[in-house]
Amino acid sequence: MKKTTILLAIVVILGAFVLTSAAFTVDQTQQAIVIQLGRPVGDRALGPGLHFKLPLVQTVVFFDARILDFDAKPEEITTTDKKYMNVDSYTKWRITDPLTFYTKVRTIQGARARLDDIVRSQLRVALGRYTLIEVVSHKRQEIMDAVTKRSRELLLPYGIEVLDVRIKRTDLPAENARSIFGRMKAERERQAKQYRSEGQEASAKIKANADKERTIILADANKQAEIIRGEGDALATKVYATALGQNPDFYEFTRSLEAYKQGFAKNTRFILTPKSPFLKHLQ
Amino acid sequence: MNWDWEKLQKQQQGRPGGKPPSFDDFQDQLDKLKKFKLPGWKLVIPLLILLWIASGFYIVEPDEVGVVKQFGKFNRITTAGPNYHIPYPVESALTPKVTQIRRVEFGFRSVGRPITQSFQQGVSREVKEESLMLTGDENIVSVQFIVQYMIKDAENYLFNVNDPEQTLAHAGEAAMREVIGNGKIDDALTTGKQEIQVQTRDLMQRILDDYKTGLSVVAVQMQNVHPPDEVIEAFKDVASAREDKSRYINEAEAYQRDILPKARGEASRITNAAQAYKEAKVRKAEGDAARFLSVLKEYDKAKDITRDRLYLEAMETILSNPDTEKLIMSDDALKQSIPYLPLDKQPRSAAPKEAK
């Protein structure tokens, strides 16, 4: 009775030990390969789930199954128009073939070194074919696609799949930035000057036009006034002529008298002879 | 259990006897202690099993989703409420917050607050290496923006990408720079903002979907877009130059609006004066004519006497002026003193002569 209990306990403990050292789980974020005495077992990596191995002789190596990030250091690159720019890129990659990966690069660090070599040189090659402004604007996608494609081909033998090489920042070295600032400033100053002189131009035009209009309005008015006056004079003349024509002799007489009255009103010396008709009653 | 009690009682009964504990007693107690373990096992093992089973319970909050892994492998998604999974090491559950909208800042950092929380407007610090970017017309502009995002696919979010948040930050920077690089500086500074936001959001989403990050970009919002500090004065001057331009034009228009009505008023004054002159002239003529005709009518009735009367009245008026010097002298005297003018040759008048 007691013996069997002890035996049972030993079996249970041993079984548990074997089970725990034989069974292993691979997380959803991982993949694994089994190594038997330094050699990979099987031709496929293990996906997530519960797996078994031989205790002691087999060991498990885990690899990340997720998309990994490789953020390269910014690098100065010369474009085809001989301009310098700092290009900061990142690469998204994944271990697609852990067996190959394990035999060729072994670790993530090793992979990073390969990525650094290949992506960097591919970027340099691709960017060297374009001008700065092409890199910055419309050729950007094209360049990234080309670099991604080429890097993917070159890294496939390492069990690595390059998903995307993307240019994050494209900055200018400080001295180039300064010259751009200078140009931006000059451009804006030119624009400001243009605005101001356009304003002055428009202002002068409007004022001159107004002055012209004023002169014309006044001249028109004066012309009109002379015509009206002339009409008045003509009409008056006609009226006078009609009336006075009835007895020109009498008009001349009365008008003369009127003229004498007005004409002799001041500083006049009269010398009258007794024969004057005015004095006939004085005789 | 019973026997245990009994022994305990027995021991306690023995104690009041006042005897100090002997070696036998000690041995006795040791035995008891050894035996005491047995009921412990019986109690603890079921309790541990119970606890183990209970450890499978977990609660998914309303803003979360439950993700259950079986031996590390993704197994199922569970929804809000109390849930159960087979306890460790068979199954485990993760509960990412999927409805929460998170926020990441680009080109600036809010001061004093964690990145994911709402920030105080204006209390931020520019990060120039992030904010300064090249535009398609080879200018440099400073863009500060935020990206709001949430988890749209918990499975992808948890298992597919090494660091989804970092990936989003990278994608955001790359996308905004690409969009800005495709446009002109004036688009970014003025009217193109909306378009840039939409394009950046779409591009980011496309990148994130390519990587299967399980993240959804809710919005891209530009916070502060301005020319670099080095040139900002020149940009401001352009704005004030534009103001100056319209000011000059307004001033000229004011001048125009001032002088033209005045000129029209003046014109109207001139023409009206002429009109008045005309009317006055005509009326005077008519008046004069009427007067002449009236007098003429009476004159015709008595020509001589009227003529004489008019003549005398005129002379009277002339000579009654005290300023007028009068001198009467005979013809002879006149001949002797001064050269004379033949006064009497005037047919009708009294022949007044100027001799000054």
Side-chain angles (χ1 to χ4, degrees):
Chain A
M1 177 70 186
K2 208 173 185 183
K3 224 173 183 179
T4 46
T5 318
I6 291 166
L7 210 73
L8 198 78
I10 289 168
V11 166
V12 165
I13 288 167
L14 211 75
F17 173 73
V18 169
L19 203 73
T20 47
S21 63
F24 62 95
T25 61
V26 178
D27 193 77
Q28 185 72 35
T29 61
Q30 291 175 322
Q31 49 192 337
I33 53 172
V34 176
I35 310 281
Q36 184 173 341
L37 304 172
R39 275 193 175 176
V41 176
D43 53 358
R44 256 164 31 86
L46 301 171
L50 184 64
H51 299 279
F52 298 95
K53 66 177 170 74
L54 296 177
L56 303 173
V57 290
Q58 290 187 338
T59 52
V60 188
V61 182
F62 294 95
F63 296 98
D64 210 316
R66 293 174 296 183
I67 295 172
L68 300 169
D69 188 63
F70 170 64
D71 194 355
K73 278 198 282 288
E75 197 186 356
E76 192 168 274
I77 278 168
T78 323
T79 56
T80 187
D81 51 346
K82 300 285 177 290
K83 288 181 179 168
Y84 294 95
M85 69 191 310
N86 288 323
V87 174
D88 190 2
S89 68
Y90 70 84
T91 305
K92 288 285 173 188
W93 62 286
R94 187 161 55 184
I95 302 165
T96 43
D97 185 351
L99 289 170
T100 317
F101 185 85
Y102 183 72
T103 51
K104 294 226 170 128
V105 292
R106 201 161 281 253
T107 59
I108 301 271
Q109 278 71 29
R112 283 188 200 283
R114 293 289 181 289
L115 279 163
D116 198 35
D117 292 346
I118 289 168
V119 172
R120 191 193 286 253
S121 68
Q122 287 306 312
L123 261 178
R124 195 176 275 282
V125 167
L127 290 172
R129 293 202 199 104
Y130 297 93
T131 62
L132 185 138
I133 207 67
E134 282 173 341
V135 173
V136 170
S137 60
H138 53 285
K139 287 291 193 323
R140 197 189 191 107
Q141 189 62 51
E142 200 178 305
I143 295 165
M144 293 191 298
D145 288 346
V147 174
T148 304
K149 192 161 167 274
R150 194 77 192 105
S151 305
R152 183 178 296 158
E153 284 165 14
L154 291 171
L155 283 156
L156 216 56
Y158 295 96
I160 290 168
E161 186 199 5
V162 172
L163 286 147
D164 194 17
V165 177
R166 197 159 279 274
I167 299 168
K168 200 167 59 168
R169 292 182 197 164
T170 47
D171 293 330
L172 295 172
E175 58 271 28
N176 293 44
R178 254 201 304 284
S179 70
I180 285 213
F181 289 149
R183 183 173 50 69
M184 286 171 78
K185 217 182 217 169
E187 267 175 19
R188 297 294 147 172
E189 277 161 4
R190 194 192 64 202
Q191 209 173 343
K193 265 192 191 125
Q194 191 185 335
Y195 277 130
R196 291 213 169 86
S197 43
E198 274 174 6
Q200 280 160 351
E201 179 193 0
S203 162
K205 275 183 185 166
I206 292 167
K207 279 184 181 167
N209 209 40
D211 285 339
K212 184 191 80 182
E213 260 183 71
R214 176 173 63 179
T215 309
I216 290 171
I217 287 169
L218 291 178
D220 268 349
N222 281 321
K223 174 184 148 195
Q224 204 60 36
E226 291 310 319
I227 290 169
I228 293 167
R229 280 203 184 87
E231 282 171 7
D233 288 345
L235 240 110
T237 306
K238 190 180 157 197
V239 169
Y240 280 124
T242 318
L244 307 180
Q246 292 194 16
N247 193 337
D249 203 38
F250 178 61
Y251 172 71
E252 197 190 348
F253 171 67
T254 51
R255 190 64 188 81
S256 297
L257 291 181
E258 201 62 34
Y260 298 156
K261 276 193 233 173
Q262 296 295 322
F264 302 143
K266 275 198 168 165
N267 297 327
T268 312
R269 173 184 288 173
F270 275 95
I271 301 164
L272 299 170
T273 59
K275 282 179 186 166
S276 162
F278 185 65
L279 298 178
K280 76 178 175 196
H281 300 292
L282 221 67
Q283 287 167 356
Chain B
M1 257 201 203
N2 280 343
W3 54 268
D4 198 52
W5 262 114
E6 278 163 21
K7 287 199 173 172
L8 218 86
Q9 277 176 331
K10 210 173 99 187
Q11 191 200 6
Q12 281 180 340
Q13 278 165 358
R15 279 263 171 115
K19 272 196 280 176
S22 66
F23 181 75
D24 284 348
D25 280 345
F26 184 73
Q27 193 67 48
D28 209 29
Q29 283 194 3
L30 206 78
D31 286 346
K32 277 179 219 157
L33 229 111
K34 277 178 183 167
K35 282 174 184 169
F36 194 77
K37 276 185 178 174
L38 276 164
W41 276 101
K42 280 186 181 171
L43 198 74
V44 167
I45 287 169
L47 203 75
L48 283 177
I49 290 169
L50 215 71
L51 271 173
W52 183 70
I53 290 168
S55 73
F57 283 106
Y58 65 100
I59 287 176
V60 179
E61 300 290 336
D63 60 342
E64 295 171 344
V65 70
V67 178
V68 178
K69 290 192 288 186
Q70 194 174 59
F71 291 115
K73 185 178 163 65
F74 169 74
N75 185 268
R76 62 183 183 274
I77 296 273
T78 55
T79 49
N83 282 280
Y84 185 73
H85 68 78
I86 303 167
Y88 179 87
V90 181
E91 287 187 344
S92 61
L94 298 163
T95 55
K97 293 191 184 300
V98 288
T99 55
Q100 193 181 65
I101 293 189
R102 298 138 201 251
R103 176 176 181 286
V104 56
E105 297 172 339
F106 293 88
F108 71 103
R109 297 289 178 272
S110 299
V111 174
R113 297 232 185 160
I115 287 172
T116 45
Q117 284 182 13
S118 65
F119 76 122
Q120 265 175 295
Q121 196 79 39
V123 191
S124 66
R125 178 174 54 82
E126 186 175 353
V127 182
K128 286 200 174 185
E129 57 271 26
E130 269 181 27
S131 67
L132 292 180
M133 27 190 112
L134 274 166
T135 63
D137 49 357
E138 253 186 285
N139 288 309
I140 294 172
V141 65
S142 162
V143 179
Q144 298 174 9
F145 67 104
I146 61 149
V147 171
Q148 291 176 328
Y149 67 98
M150 58 190 284
I151 299 166
K152 71 172 171 184
D153 184 331
E155 190 190 339
N156 280 342
Y157 172 74
L158 289 173
F159 306 130
N160 227 346
V161 179
N162 179 32
D163 185 346
E165 279 79 9
Q166 177 72 19
T167 302
L168 181 116
H170 281 166
E173 235 185 290
M176 179 57 86
R177 278 162 190 271
E178 189 170 335
V179 172
I180 291 285
N182 270 323
K184 292 189 159 56
I185 188 170
D186 286 332
D187 296 342
L189 288 174
T190 56
T191 51
K193 287 201 182 78
Q194 185 60 35
E195 181 65 21
I196 289 170
Q197 289 176 173
V198 171
Q199 280 183 12
T200 305
R201 195 193 64 203
D202 293 350
L203 184 54
M204 274 186 83
Q205 191 63 63
R206 211 156 61 234
I207 295 170
L208 294 176
D209 286 349
D210 273 357
Y211 304 161
K212 295 195 175 58
T213 51
L215 291 176
S216 166
V217 179
V218 178
V220 172
Q221 277 162 2
M222 294 167 100
Q223 302 286 312
N224 189 359
V225 183
H226 58 79
D229 296 342
E230 287 85 348
V231 296
I232 200 158
E233 285 307 317
F235 274 78
K236 280 181 182 162
D237 192 46
V238 170
S240 66
R242 209 180 283 131
E243 292 302 312
D244 282 349
K245 178 182 171 180
S246 59
R247 184 166 57 80
Y248 292 152
I249 292 172
N250 281 333
E251 280 170 4
E253 276 171 356
Y255 173 77
Q256 182 186 38
R257 274 158 210 208
D258 177 44
I259 65 161
L260 286 186
K262 278 183 184 166
R264 281 193 288 272
E266 176 68 9
S268 151
R269 193 190 63 71
I270 290 168
T271 49
N272 275 321
Q275 199 71 44
Y277 169 84
K278 175 187 168 183
E279 297 300 328
K281 190 89 184 193
V282 170
R283 274 167 183 68
K284 177 148 190 336
E286 282 169 356
D288 287 352
R291 180 176 155 204
F292 176 76
L293 289 176
S294 304
V295 175
L296 183 65
K297 201 172 141 198
E298 295 311 316
Y299 169 75
D300 283 344
K301 285 178 190 164
K303 272 189 178 141
D304 290 342
I305 191 68
T306 305
R307 208 179 174 88
D308 284 349
R309 182 178 62 79
L310 288 173
Y311 168 73
L312 288 172
E313 272 174 16
M315 287 307 287
E316 188 178 42
T317 310
I318 291 162
L319 294 175
S320 67
N321 186 351
D323 288 346
T324 305
E325 197 181 332
K326 277 88 52 180
L327 195 68
I328 301 169
M329 52 172 27
S330 69
D331 287 350
D332 301 336
L334 205 62
K335 278 171 195 161
Q336 283 166 15
S337 60
I338 48 163
Y340 75 98
L341 292 166
L343 304 174
D344 51 351
K345 280 190 182 164
Q346 298 284 345
R348 287 179 303 272
S349 77
K353 273 297 151 212
E354 219 169 38
K356 200 176 173 183

